[in-house]
Amino acid sequence: MSHREGRVPAFLVVALPLVLLLTGCSTPDTEAEAEAEETASHIPVFWVEREVRVRTLDRMFTEGDSHEVIANTGPTREVLFDAGVVHEEGDGYAVELDKDTWDTSLNLNRIDGALGGTMRQNEVTWCGEAVEAEEFVEDYMDEFAGTLDSHEAYEESVVDYVDCGTGRL
């Protein structure tokens, strides 16, 4: 029988308290903090990007000629119509902002691709100098992706940004 049997190795005596200390320091103090961390980490970047693109497209229709915006979109516009993202309204087009009504059986990746194509083919003209809409979206994403802790906070921030604000609330 070895003289080491029954004894705890020295590295465990030192490492275990350190691990427990570090683990204890990284846990949230309250349930509200834990929920905020969980919520923030579960807002997908694609959701945020989709929100900026949809709100930007909606503003494009308001600011300019929706027929021209749709014409610039090219063949991917059919995906936007088929999914219910865009529909005819009066003598032009409108964006459906309630994403729960969209037909996502087409696959959100296709919808996101069509929205991205629309942004690359159109410009944001209402906030000063004209800029490609996709650049406008990317500027928002560079600044805010992963920084807000709820869908509602992103919606408010995006609306402010699309209305030529800073996006900071």
Side-chain angles (χ1 to χ4, degrees):
M1 189 156 138
S2 153
H3 69 284
R4 296 179 136 207
E5 245 176 80
R7 292 180 25 173
V8 176
F11 76 90
L12 283 180
V13 172
V14 174
L16 187 57
L18 287 174
V19 168
L20 292 174
L21 179 65
L22 292 173
T23 305
C25 290
S26 66
T27 58
D29 293 336
T30 65
E31 283 184 41
E33 287 178 32
E35 286 177 20
E37 283 181 14
E38 185 174 308
T39 301
S41 66
H42 286 91
I43 300 176
V45 69
F46 295 113
W47 183 92
V48 177
E49 187 174 54
R50 186 177 309 119
E51 185 69 19
V52 181
R53 287 175 172 165
V54 166
R55 297 287 178 163
T56 302
L57 180 59
D58 184 54
R59 183 70 184 261
M60 282 179 196
F61 285 176
T62 302
E63 293 293 326
D65 180 357
S66 62
H67 290 281
E68 182 180 333
V69 172
I70 289 297
N72 290 343
T73 301
T76 61
R77 69 178 160 262
E78 293 309 316
V79 172
L80 299 176
F81 285 105
D82 292 346
V85 176
V86 173
H87 59 272
E88 288 187 52
E89 186 173 276
D91 62 348
Y93 299 101
V95 175
E96 179 54 64
L97 297 174
D98 182 359
K99 293 175 211 66
D100 291 336
T101 65
W102 294 359
D103 179 0
T104 56
S105 66
L106 296 173
N107 184 321
L108 278 174
N109 290 332
R110 289 187 62 207
I111 295 169
D112 288 342
L115 286 167
T118 301
M119 296 297 109
R120 284 185 292 281
Q121 301 301 319
N122 288 284
E123 293 183 327
V124 169
T125 58
W126 58 91
C127 289
E129 190 175 319
V131 62
E132 180 186 285
E134 186 63 7
E135 183 180 331
F136 182 77
V137 171
E138 288 172 6
D139 287 347
Y140 180 88
M141 296 301 293
D142 290 346
E143 182 78 22
F144 293 100
T147 64
L148 301 177
D149 61 1
S150 71
H151 289 97
E152 293 79 17
Y154 272 113
E155 288 170 358
E156 289 177 34
S157 172
V158 168
V159 166
D160 179 65
Y161 178 77
V162 171
D163 286 345
C164 306
T166 63
R168 292 182 197 351
L169 302 175

